[in-house]
Amino acid sequence: MAVLLRRLLQPGRPPAALGRNRGQREANLCTGPGATVRVRFAPSPTGFLHLGGLRTALYNYIFAKKHGGTFILRLEDTDQTRLVPGAAENIEDMLAWAGIPPDESPRRGGPAGPYLQSQRLELYAQAADALVRTGAAYPCFCSPQRLELLKKEALRNRQTPRYDNRCRNLSQQQVAQKLASDPKPAIRFRLDEEAPAFQDLVYGWTRHEVASVEGDPVVLKSDGFPTYHLACVVDDHHMGVSHVLRGSEWLVSTTKHLLLYRALGWPPPCFAHLPLLVNADGSKLSKRQGDLVLERLAAAGFLPDALLDMVTNCGSGFAENQMGRTLAELIAQFDLSRVTCHSALLDLEKLPEFNRLHLSRLVSSETQRRQLVEKLQALVEEAFGSQLRDTAVLDPAYVERVILLRQGHICRLQDLVSPSHSYLWTRPAVGRAQLGAISDKVDVIATRVLGLLEGRAASLTQDTLNAELRRLSEGLDGTKHSHVMKLLRVALSGQQVSRAGGRLCVGPFSSGSSAGAQLSFGDEMNVTW
């Protein structure tokens, strides 16, 4: 800051001209032969990572990996008043959980660090110094009270609030006098330059005449912290970022950023502004929407691949709109030129179906299935504890069989410890009166079912068991087959109604056990297989 203040009194010079022509590079997405791709995800740790942030990070990640590039995580923590404790750690943790960890980050380090903006203040001061030296920026001594009055006056007149550029034409003598009483002014960037047109890789050729609609923006605050506009330009330059893939809300600010690049004499990166991910009603996603926070979705049993699949499926960037894509397939199929300008509608009601598809794929993998068995064992112990019928229900072979039987029917592993599946782990207690209301031949049916299973449980298939139960029903005068099946369902699971698309899973199936299969009818009916 001291160097900056000394140069405030030096005569200004016109800002440097923009370096190179980018048209040809933009025509091939700036990824031609020999091009190095470096992208960044730069969230502010003012909240935990949610689905909107995940989508931006994912598009950066798959673009980098498709072109053999580098994915950088940079945390923009310059607004110290809004930081949320634990948010910085959560962002990096959730990226790792989602399977898209950064190559360079505050935790991993890297050649372009530090990756926290609060640790890069000297770089911003140097850039502000350079802007003041060339006359592209100037000190602003306006008090917060004056700026607030300007804002209120504009709103009262139904105008868009803007700074009136009062301090841009102060003489060197006036600046010197004000510095004596206010040695740490804010620094504002002059918007004198003609706004350059630029070709966004998503929105095409764009121009925003920012000088006609807003005042000169602050780029360095009086506390030495930069605003977003200066910080992102300085960091993207020093980190060698080749492509800026960010939300479309920053499209109108890009002109200011290009003017800063021009004033600093730096070549700008390529820009691709991603259409917003919005709620089903068209409203913008918010960090305050708890159901969108990744940590909560992970705790609820939703899989990383399901979330990645959903946030890309509802948007664009792929030749076909399909469900069930893995991360490797997303990388292989992604095409930035296919990203459209239309907002992507996020329908969370579809998430269970995405999760069902990806859970079924994990179950089909023997290696992944073993991990699912361990997770389900932990869920069962947590949900039922002392209520478990016996320790046999935690046997890996039995747990694996349950998972295989329910493959394609459940959306989350947690569904298997819901009340509708509790019979798999606990001994259902059914009142005899409940069974008698179904059929008056309860004891006869129990005896015949036990006789059917005696010594044959290991050899019975689903088809043969169904056939045998139907023959058993036909031998009972005045008893319908549906009543026999309902009685068995209630006795074995405690459930009065069959689940749609469901299949009754009873266990553990231990045909080699000396206890065998047993139906015990008393005031309450206990079932063991």
Side-chain angles (χ1 to χ4, degrees), residues 312-328:
T312 51
N313 182 269
C314 68
S316 54
F318 301 87
E320 297 180 3
N321 192 23
Q322 66 185 67
M323 296 175 66
R325 280 187 287 234
T326 64
L327 179 56

Side-chain angles (χ1 to χ4, degrees), residues 166-489:
R166 177 179 182 177
C167 292
R168 69 148 61 187
N169 295 317
L170 293 177
S171 67
Q172 293 186 34
Q173 183 179 1
Q174 290 173 312
V175 169
Q177 291 174 347
K178 290 181 178 294
L179 283 175
S181 58
D182 185 4
K184 293 184 177 181
I187 303 300
R188 290 185 180 271
F189 179 64
R190 293 179 184 270
L191 292 179
D192 289 335
E193 293 291 328
E194 178 183 353
F198 67 97
Q199 188 178 23
D200 187 82
L201 299 180
V202 173
Y203 285 81
W205 284 100
T206 304
R207 181 197 298 272
H208 297 284
E209 295 291 349
V210 290
S212 64
V213 295
E214 59 182 280
D216 294 339
V218 171
V219 290
L220 194 70
K221 294 177 288 187
S222 59
D223 61 3
F225 278 82
T227 61
Y228 173 78
H229 304 301
L230 179 65
C232 73
V233 168
V234 171
D235 288 342
D236 287 344
H237 171 72
H238 285 289
M239 291 183 177
V241 170
S242 62
H243 297 74
V244 173
L245 278 64
R246 60 187 178 188
S248 59
E249 67 268 31
W250 295 111
L251 183 62
V252 296
S253 296
T254 304
T255 294
K256 277 184 282 193
H257 301 165
L258 290 172
L259 289 172
L260 281 165
Y261 277 109
R262 174 183 294 179
L264 291 165
W266 297 339
C270 295
F271 290 94
H273 287 86
L274 305 173
L276 291 179
L277 184 64
V278 298
N279 293 304
D281 62 1
S283 61
K284 186 178 178 181
L285 300 187
S286 168
K287 291 182 179 180
R288 290 180 291 275
Q289 290 177 254
D291 56 348
L292 301 180
V293 174
L294 252 64
E295 190 173 58
R296 295 188 183 182
L297 292 169
F302 292 105
L303 300 169
D305 276 356
L307 296 174
L308 301 182
D309 190 13
M310 183 181 69
V311 297
T312 51
N313 182 269
C314 68
S316 54
F318 301 87
E320 297 180 3
N321 192 23
Q322 66 185 67
M323 296 175 66
R325 280 187 287 234
T326 64
L327 179 56
E329 290 169 335
L330 291 175
I331 294 171
Q333 298 175 24
F334 180 66
D335 184 351
L336 184 58
S337 67
R338 291 184 177 273
V339 176
T340 68
C341 304
H342 305 296
S343 296
L345 294 179
L346 177 67
D347 187 355
L348 280 179
E349 292 185 1
K350 295 180 179 178
L351 180 54
E353 178 60 16
F354 278 96
N355 214 64
R356 185 187 67 80
L357 291 174
H358 287 277
L359 181 58
S360 294
R361 180 175 53 81
L362 294 183
V363 173
S364 299
S365 165
E366 185 175 348
T367 301
Q368 297 288 350
R369 192 164 63 245
R370 284 198 294 268
Q371 296 179 16
L372 293 177
V373 166
E374 294 177 0
K375 291 179 181 179
L376 183 53
Q377 287 173 316
L379 288 172
V380 170
E381 288 191 273
E382 180 183 354
F384 300 107
S386 60
Q387 301 176 48
L388 295 175
R389 62 173 64 165
D390 55 52
T391 56
V393 296
L394 295 176
D395 180 79
Y398 170 64
V399 175
E400 181 178 20
R401 184 165 185 180
V402 168
I403 291 174
L404 287 169
L405 282 169
R406 301 307 297 156
Q407 182 181 9
H409 294 281
I410 59 171
C411 296
R412 304 172 304 147
L413 208 58
Q414 278 86 339
D415 294 344
L416 291 175
V417 295
S418 65
S420 62
H421 288 87
S422 62
Y423 67 89
L424 293 168
W425 322 106
T426 63
R427 193 182 304 277
V430 182
R432 187 178 181 85
Q434 291 179 261
L435 300 176
I438 300 171
S439 173
D440 57 2
K441 295 183 174 63
V442 174
D443 293 320
V444 175
I445 293 172
T447 301
R448 293 193 180 187
V449 171
L450 284 173
L452 171 64
L453 297 175
E454 194 69 38
R456 299 181 57 195
S459 61
L460 285 173
T461 65
Q462 181 178 334
D463 291 337
T464 57
L465 179 59
N466 285 337
E468 292 288 350
L469 288 173
R470 186 168 291 279
R471 275 194 288 271
L472 183 152
S473 302
E474 292 170 353
L476 296 170
D477 293 336
T479 301
K480 295 181 179 180
H481 178 62
S482 61
H483 290 172
V484 173
M485 297 306 293
K486 182 176 182 179
L487 186 145
L488 289 175
R489 179 176 63 250

